[in-house]
Amino acid sequence: MVLDRHPINQIPKHATSDLNDLQERFFLLQRESFKQKIAHIFLIEGFSSTGKGSILQSLTIRLDPRKFKVYSPYVHQSEDRGYPFLWNFWRVIPRYGEFLFYLNTYYSRLAYLRSEKKSTYLNMTIDFYRF
């Protein structure tokens, strides 16, 4: 049966109650955020094939699909076009009352650049957060 392969059914039984509580909290947060016109950004970071999609599916199963977006940028794409590397993130900012889930953010890129002592990207990131 197709439902047996659903990620929710592969979670251990003792963790299901915690997941249900978290889903309920996300639902209530979304509802109150929409009423108060507050935008939220959630970052889901990890290597390829680590189950980020399954985690996202489990978290968003109770959310209103009209009020959240999922964005998975390719960070190097902006540099190929001649834009700053944060350009992919500047383009996608949630509206008031919306959730935005970033899959694979720029934090791993910043950690690499910091180890290479390239401060230009770090300064651009600081300016982005001041915005």
Side-chain angles (χ1 to χ4, degrees):
M1 184 180 210
V2 175
L3 292 177
D4 292 336
R5 293 187 308 243
H6 192 274
I8 293 292
N9 295 332
Q10 296 175 2
I11 297 172
K13 298 296 181 195
H14 62 84
T16 308
S17 64
D18 293 337
L19 180 62
N20 289 337
D21 293 341
L22 187 59
Q23 289 171 346
E24 179 70 20
R25 290 176 66 189
F26 261 82
F27 173 73
L28 294 174
L29 179 66
Q30 184 186 40
R31 190 175 64 185
E32 286 300 314
S33 298
F34 187 74
K35 287 179 185 176
Q36 297 180 16
K37 297 183 179 181
I38 299 171
H40 292 279
I41 298 176
F42 299 96
L43 309 174
I44 301 176
E45 187 73 58
F47 296 110
S48 299
S49 303
T50 56
K52 294 184 301 274
S54 299
I55 292 170
L56 183 66
Q57 183 180 11
S58 298
L59 290 176
T60 60
I61 200 161
R62 292 202 52 206
L63 298 181
D64 184 356
R66 298 171 296 175
K67 298 176 188 168
F68 78 88
K69 295 178 185 173
V70 177
Y71 184 62
S72 180
Y74 177 62
V75 175
H76 302 293
Q77 178 184 17
S78 60
E79 293 175 351
D80 294 342
R81 294 182 181 178
Y83 293 109
F85 85 103
L86 287 174
W87 176 75
N88 287 332
F89 301 94
W90 295 336
R91 294 182 317 135
V92 183
I93 301 289
R95 296 178 182 169
Y96 293 119
E98 285 187 352
F99 281 13
L100 176 63
F101 292 91
Y102 279 126
L103 296 178
N104 289 335
T105 61
Y106 52 87
Y107 284 116
S108 58
R109 177 93 171 135
L110 281 179
Y112 169 74
L113 292 173
R114 187 172 187 187
S115 68
E116 295 292 319
K117 308 279 189 222
K118 296 183 179 178
S119 62
T120 309
Y121 292 109
L122 295 175
N123 292 336
M124 287 174 20
T125 306
I126 291 169
D127 292 340
F128 175 69
Y129 278 116
R130 287 184 184 149
F131 169 68

